[in-house]
Amino acid sequence: MIHFLGIIGTLTALVSFLYQPSELATHLIISGIIFSAVTWFIAFFKRRATFCPLCKGTPLINSGALTHSKSIHIFPFNHGTTATLSIIATQRFRCMYCGSDFDLLKPPSRFLVGGKCNDGMS
């Protein structure tokens, strides 16, 4: 999410520079590009370490494998970026490899016994 905010900030500084060129806007563009590059590098490894609970694929990075027919993507983005944006916006995603829909806010069913949380902690 921080990476996408950095991209939005860089684009805002670029529009500001095009509207009214200044030294401050130039510094903001350069620092935004550097910030976005660093956060992309960190986000790449974080996305790569995320696995689908069902098929154990990496649904946030496109590996070039064949996608499931139920998987979706928003036109200018690939399946991995669409899943990332979906998680940021709705806390849900659909795995591009197995087509399963996951809700990150829903507690896992293995912890629910008789409507109560059974996590072994209480």
Side-chain angles (χ1 to χ4, degrees):
M1 184 169 169
I2 293 172
H3 173 67
F4 287 111
L5 290 175
I7 291 172
I8 291 169
T10 304
L11 291 174
T12 303
L14 182 65
V15 169
S16 174
F17 178 78
L18 294 174
Y19 180 69
Q20 184 178 10
S22 69
E23 188 174 333
L24 176 63
T26 305
H27 290 300
L28 288 174
I29 292 170
I30 292 170
S31 60
I33 290 172
I34 293 170
F35 179 78
S36 294
V38 170
T39 56
W40 178 86
F41 186 72
I42 294 169
F44 175 75
F45 289 109
K46 291 294 223 178
R47 289 180 296 145
R48 194 171 167 173
T50 304
F51 295 102
C52 172
L54 187 61
C55 70
K56 304 302 181 205
T58 55
L60 302 181
I61 291 186
N62 283 33
S63 66
L66 186 63
T67 58
H68 194 271
S69 61
K70 288 185 180 179
S71 66
I72 58 170
H73 70 94
I74 301 170
F75 167 64
F77 306 115
N78 59 22
H79 287 83
T81 304
T82 301
T84 303
L85 292 174
S86 176
I87 288 171
I88 291 171
T90 65
Q91 298 294 310
R92 299 177 68 185
F93 75 97
R94 183 178 294 271
C95 179
M96 73 176 96
Y97 302 116
C98 65
S100 300
D101 196 20
F102 295 98
D103 186 356
L104 300 178
L105 297 178
K106 179 182 172 190
S109 61
R110 68 177 177 268
F111 292 134
L112 295 177
V113 175
K116 296 182 180 178
C117 184
N118 185 21
D119 59 1
M121 301 296 281
S122 45

